[in-house]
Amino acid sequence: MGTVKTILVTRLSALGDVAMTIPVMKQVLDENPDVEIVFVTNRNWGALCAGIPRLSFFPADVKGIHKGIKGLYRLFREVRKAHRITAVADLHNVLRSQIIRTFFRLSGTPVAAIDKGRAEKKALTRRENKVLQPLSSTIERYAEVFRQLGLRCEMGRKPVFQPRILPGSVTAVTGPKQGKKWIGLAPFATYREKMYPLEKMAAVLGMLAREQGIQLFLLGGGKQEVALLTQLAAQYPEVIVAAGRFSLEEELALISQLDVMISMDSANMHLASLFGVPVVSVWGATHPFAGFMGYGQAPENAVQIHDLPCRPCSVFGNKPCFRGDHACMEWIKPVQIAEKVNEIVL
């Protein structure tokens, strides 16, 4: 074996985006045994890196000690002190990551950065003369950055992780699985345009809760989401609210044991994908064509309205509905979601 190459990888953003880097980094490490990766990301996401040999988690606190140019320079120095970096893979390509990679480039380290395909995404989401065709996936765009650095990375579809044994702290809430089909339901997303209306999701929950041999778990985060989920579960005593009760590590163990996940175009889709759990994903303002479908997920498990000329209207779901009626979500019938879940679990 030759000299070990240590690649610095940066992706400082939201949980879902960071989760999508994991299959790619795992593939790079599998195909390049002389490589190790130092992953600089949000200090809260360390659990995602657990159990992958030669992948080191390096926490960044961009709202605290690593804030601003001064803070990013401090981060650069901390990384260099701890590791001998031979190349930088910028999987984010925003101002912060550009500053970090510039510090490395000025010190003579080769760098490569993601091409986000902004022009083609603009063509996909514009109101007039849309170019409605599938774009390169985010997973593939990440892989291309490593190829630019001369590394092998041919993405497949195999799960990154095996199912995990549930710790006692989780089974105290969930009880044993005992042959039941476990379904996770994560109805929230960062933006309203990416969320299926909660009253309609309650109808989906009602349909699934009636089935024998099924255990439903409600997932989410933050006080407001936990309160809404608790309200939702009150009508169905057999539904368990898992939101707000576990660490990320514990939640990943629970997700790994699910038979299916119902999720929006949001983080839980990507977390479930790491374990090869089938996801029934619900799409409104955004579209799988933009490249954010969960890793290895079957396109036919995406629930969406196909004949709406305004879809998709944005890449991230962060633009208000210009029609004002949220037809892309409102027109999806609860039974469409429930039937898709039943196809997988029954």
Side-chain angles (χ1 to χ4, degrees):
M1 195 158 122
T3 318
V4 172
K5 298 179 193 131
T6 304
I7 313 296
L8 177 73
V9 175
T10 55
R11 180 81 217 202
L12 296 162
S13 57
L15 181 57
D17 298 314
V18 173
M20 278 191 282
T21 68
I22 304 297
V24 184
M25 293 192 291
K26 172 79 163 53
Q27 189 63 30
V28 169
L29 292 166
D30 286 350
E31 287 191 62
N32 303 270
D34 58 341
V35 162
E36 10 184 87
I37 289 176
V38 176
F39 187 33
V40 170
T41 188
N42 183 307
R43 61 188 179 149
N44 299 319
W45 310 149
L48 291 174
C49 302
I52 302 178
R54 311 196 317 277
L55 176 61
S56 306
F57 168 65
F58 200 103
D61 181 10
V62 293
K63 289 181 178 169
I65 57 166
H66 301 132
K67 190 178 180 178
I69 292 181
K70 228 177 182 174
L72 293 171
Y73 184 65
R74 175 178 175 161
L75 178 60
F76 159 72
R77 290 188 62 184
E78 286 171 1
V79 171
R80 282 191 79 196
K81 193 177 174 186
H83 302 275
R84 202 170 158 186
I85 302 298
T86 48
V88 176
D90 179 358
L91 303 186
H92 203 172
N93 208 356
V94 293
L95 188 58
R96 278 186 190 130
S97 63
Q98 288 161 5
I99 290 167
I100 295 167
R101 80 173 192 242
T102 300
F103 290 143
F104 277 97
R105 202 181 66 238
L106 293 173
S107 64
T109 309
V111 303
I114 187 172
D115 170 9
K116 291 183 171 176
R118 284 194 175 95
E120 51 198 0
K121 283 175 181 169
K122 203 173 176 179
L124 175 70
T125 55
R126 66 193 175 203
R127 257 194 236 191
E128 308 293 328
N129 307 315
K130 273 186 196 302
V131 182
L132 195 63
Q133 62 182 33
L135 305 181
S136 186
S137 72
T138 300
I139 297 275
E140 189 51 34
R141 290 181 194 277
Y142 286 161
E144 186 52 39
V145 180
F146 291 100
R147 292 183 205 127
Q148 284 175 42
L149 294 172
L151 300 170
R152 290 182 297 281
C153 184
E154 292 309 316
M155 295 307 299
R157 290 170 65 92
K158 64 177 190 285
V160 180
F161 300 121
Q162 294 302 307
R164 295 183 178 170
I165 294 165
L166 294 177
S169 53
V170 175
T171 53
V173 174
T174 64
K177 197 167 180 184
Q178 290 177 328
K180 281 187 176 178
K181 296 289 186 186
W182 279 13
I183 299 173
L185 172 56
F188 298 109
T190 315
Y191 302 107
R192 185 197 162 178
E193 273 62 26
K194 292 209 292 187
M195 274 167 55
Y196 192 54
L198 213 51
E199 65 279 7
K200 287 179 184 282
M201 196 52 96
V204 176
L205 194 62
M207 289 175 204
L208 296 172
R210 285 199 296 268
E211 303 281 356
Q212 292 299 306
I214 276 178
Q215 178 63 63
L216 285 145
F217 298 97
L218 301 184
L219 299 158
K223 280 182 185 170
Q224 198 186 350
E225 291 186 7
V226 173
L228 286 166
L229 292 174
T230 306
Q231 224 175 315
L232 196 58
Q235 307 161 57
Y236 308 102
E238 61 278 33
V239 173
I240 295 171
V241 179
R245 298 172 84 162
F246 303 126
S247 66
L248 178 58
E249 197 175 351
E250 290 166 333
E251 197 157 298
L252 288 171
L254 171 58
I255 288 171
S256 81
Q257 290 288 343
L258 296 177
D259 293 281
V260 64
M261 169 74 86
I262 306 165
S263 170
M264 307 301 104
D265 167 20
S266 63
N268 280 289
M269 168 173 66
H270 300 296
L271 297 178
S273 300
L274 296 177
F275 299 96
V277 172
V279 178
V280 172
S281 52
V282 185
W283 300 74
T286 59
H287 199 292
F289 280 4
F292 295 99
M293 177 60 102
Y295 168 68
Q297 291 297 334
E300 60 270 22
N301 289 340
V303 179
Q304 54 187 329
I305 300 291
H306 288 285
D307 50 359
L308 252 182
C310 55
R311 274 196 76 230
C313 60
S314 71
V315 176
F316 307 111
N318 54 347
K319 292 178 183 169
C321 172
F322 65 80
R323 288 170 56 111
D325 63 354
H326 295 92
C328 57
M329 281 298 192
E330 293 287 351
W331 290 3
I332 295 171
K333 295 179 174 69
V335 70
Q336 290 175 257
I337 299 170
E339 280 175 355
K340 193 66 76 175
V341 172
N342 285 332
E343 278 171 28
I344 296 167
V345 296
L346 297 180

